[in-house]
């Protein structure tokens, strides 16, 4: 481990992975220990156009006696190399090797008995299909999904037949950029140079995002179809999201109290397909990353997480 860019007490470990068609590949595991020895750990997985910078999230867990880990996936944040296409993948299963390596580090190298995986947005979708794929391995004890990317935020005609046609036509050109992006509204909500309270590296998390490419869209659609067909995650799952969706492309103050990236109705609709032990929590006034919402709302988010951990996880072990 070496000192992380966030400074002490954050450390980082580089996970060397097999090269792909763009060359060398790495992922990065960030660690913050609790004050005293702990046999419980959280592994955090970020979303699209994202990386781990939420030090207050690590504070929340370590103050409660949990060791905290965060994984910057290949081609994201700390793991993005100069020769790589930012945030690109051809299949979400491409990320399984770093998830497996991170879980082994947490479980075996750092000797934890309990591991909770927390995924945000695309990281929530990824964490879900990985948890399903590893369901018989006994790797995780709980899954916490923060505004998971269960469906594309668009009318049915676009997210089903049109998206299917685009990905079919683009099979031979997976790096082709699609003529739409994420917009800047959400970035304006959270970055301190605009209307938010958070500072992060805009080279790793640009305000308007990175280009959306056909191969990435195809990978997302495959994973979402798998989810909608039904997963079998055998551990307790908490799915948390806002009560409102912000749909405009231009700024309005109401964006600060809603999910400006995903349709929360989709999240609620598909959550029961994760497995037999799913709890859904709706957070009034929550933004897309619930943990980056305003202070009062953020307090509600953390109170809900604490309640769920105490009842669904700790309660099972009493």
């Amino acid at each position: 481990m070496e000192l992380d860019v966030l400074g002490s007490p954050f450390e980082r470990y580089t996970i060397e992975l097999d090269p792909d068609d763009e060359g060398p590949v790495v992922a990065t595991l960030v660690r913050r220990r609790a004050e005293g020895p702990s046999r419980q750990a959280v592994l955090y997985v970020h979303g699209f156009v994202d990386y781990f910078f939420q030090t207050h999230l690590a504070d929340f867990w370590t103050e409660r006696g949990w060791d905290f880990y965060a994984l910057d996936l290949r081609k994201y944040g700390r793991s993005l190399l100069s020769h790589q296409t930012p945030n690109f993948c051809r299949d979400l299963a491409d990320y399984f090797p770093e998830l497996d390596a991170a879980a082994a580090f947490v479980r075996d190298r750092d000797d934890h008995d309990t591991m909770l995986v927390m995924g945000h947005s695309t990281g929530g979708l990824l964490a879900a299909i990985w948890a399903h794929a590893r369901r018989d391995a006994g790797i995780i004890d709980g899954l916490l999904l923060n505004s998971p990317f269960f469906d594309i935020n668009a009318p049915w005609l676009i997210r089903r037949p049109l998206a299917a046609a685009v990905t079919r036509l683009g099979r031979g050109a997976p790096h082709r950029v699609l003529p739409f992006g994420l917009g800047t509204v959400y970035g304006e909500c959270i970055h301190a140079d605009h209307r938010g309270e958070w500072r992060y590296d805009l080279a790793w998390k640009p305000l308007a995002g990175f280009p959306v490419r056909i191969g990435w869209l195809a990978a997302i659609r495959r994973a979402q179809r798998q989810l909608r067909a039904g997963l079998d995650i055998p551990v307790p799952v908490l799915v948390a999201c806002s009560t409102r969706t912000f749909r405009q492309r231009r700024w309005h103050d109401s964006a600060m109290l809603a999910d400006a990236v995903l349709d929360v109705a989709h999240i609620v609709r598909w959550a029961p397909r994760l497995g037999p032990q799913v709890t859904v929590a709706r957070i009034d006034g929550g933004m897309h990353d619930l943990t980056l919402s305003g202070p009062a709302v953020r307090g509600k988010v953390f109170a809900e997480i604490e309640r769920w951990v105490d009842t669904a996880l700790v309660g099972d072990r009493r």
Side-chain angles (χ1 to χ4, degrees):
M1 302 291 282
E2 61 182 359
L3 187 67
D4 185 57
V5 294
L6 294 172
S8 180
F10 291 93
E11 307 167 281
R12 70 177 179 186
Y13 172 75
T14 300
I15 301 171
E16 303 285 346
L17 299 163
D18 291 338
D20 65 9
D21 59 346
E22 292 188 324
V25 177
V26 300
T28 310
L29 187 64
V30 179
R31 179 177 71 185
R32 180 178 173 185
R33 298 273 202 182
E35 284 293 323
S38 178
R39 304 301 295 274
Q40 303 176 118
V42 176
L43 174 62
Y44 175 79
V45 185
H46 60 77
F48 183 59
V49 190
D50 208 355
Y51 73 100
F52 173 67
F53 64 91
Q54 300 90 335
T55 57
H56 68 294
L57 179 59
D59 293 342
F60 168 80
W61 288 106
T62 56
E63 287 167 4
R64 286 153 184 81
W66 292 67
D67 288 338
F68 180 86
Y69 299 77
L71 181 64
D72 273 15
L73 301 165
R74 65 185 70 195
K75 308 185 184 184
Y76 283 86
R78 299 162 178 81
S79 308
L80 179 60
L81 305 178
S82 60
H83 61 274
Q84 294 177 328
T85 304
N87 300 187
F88 182 75
C89 74
R90 297 172 184 268
D91 194 298
L92 289 198
D94 292 348
Y95 300 120
F96 285 9
E98 53 254 54
L99 281 165
D100 291 340
F105 190 105
V106 174
R107 281 285 198 183
D108 302 329
R109 179 166 169 172
D110 279 358
D111 196 23
H112 290 93
D113 296 331
T114 301
M115 187 177 76
L116 168 67
V117 174
M118 182 176 185
H120 167 57
S121 197
T122 303
L125 176 64
L126 168 61
I129 63 168
W130 175 74
H132 171 77
R134 303 292 185 262
R135 62 190 179 277
D136 296 326
I139 296 174
I140 72 171
D141 299 282
L143 184 64
L144 199 171
L145 305 181
N146 169 6
S147 303
F149 188 15
F150 287 168
D151 213 340
I152 297 168
N153 185 9
W156 179 86
L157 186 65
I158 295 175
R159 71 177 189 269
R160 294 293 185 271
L162 184 58
V166 167
T167 52
R168 280 198 304 272
L169 292 172
R171 283 174 184 165
H175 285 84
R176 181 176 296 171
V177 175
L178 293 168
F180 59 82
L182 302 180
T184 62
V185 170
Y186 179 56
E188 291 179 47
C189 286
I190 61 176
H191 199 277
D193 287 347
H194 297 270
R195 297 168 173 88
E197 60 179 294
W198 310 102
R199 293 210 172 273
Y200 49 84
D201 192 332
L202 290 171
W204 289 347
K205 185 176 173 63
L207 204 67
F210 291 111
V212 177
R213 300 175 186 273
I214 288 177
W216 179 87
L217 178 62
I220 294 297
R221 292 190 68 252
R222 280 193 298 274
Q224 290 176 341
R225 287 199 303 272
Q226 183 183 0
L227 166 73
R228 293 195 297 270
L231 305 181
D232 184 21
I233 299 171
V235 298
V237 181
L238 175 64
V239 176
C241 65
S242 182
T243 56
R244 292 188 288 274
T245 300
F246 180 83
R247 302 184 184 282
Q248 301 176 46
R249 298 288 291 179
R250 294 184 178 180
W251 176 261
H252 188 276
D253 288 348
S254 60
M256 297 290 291
L257 299 171
D259 191 324
V261 178
L262 299 180
D263 187 331
V264 297
H266 295 159
I267 297 172
V268 174
R269 178 182 180 184
W270 299 116
R273 302 295 178 93
L274 292 164
Q277 303 178 65
V278 179
T279 301
V280 176
R282 307 291 299 274
I283 308 297
D284 189 32
M287 290 197 290
H288 177 54
D289 184 340
L290 295 168
T291 70
L292 301 183
S293 303
V297 176
R298 201 157 65 235
K300 296 176 185 177
V301 173
F302 288 134
E304 186 63 36
I305 292 173
E306 193 165 26
R307 182 206 61 78
W308 175 76
V309 168
D310 190 53
T311 56
L313 295 184
V314 178
D316 285 348
R317 289 164 171 75
R318 287 175 179 159

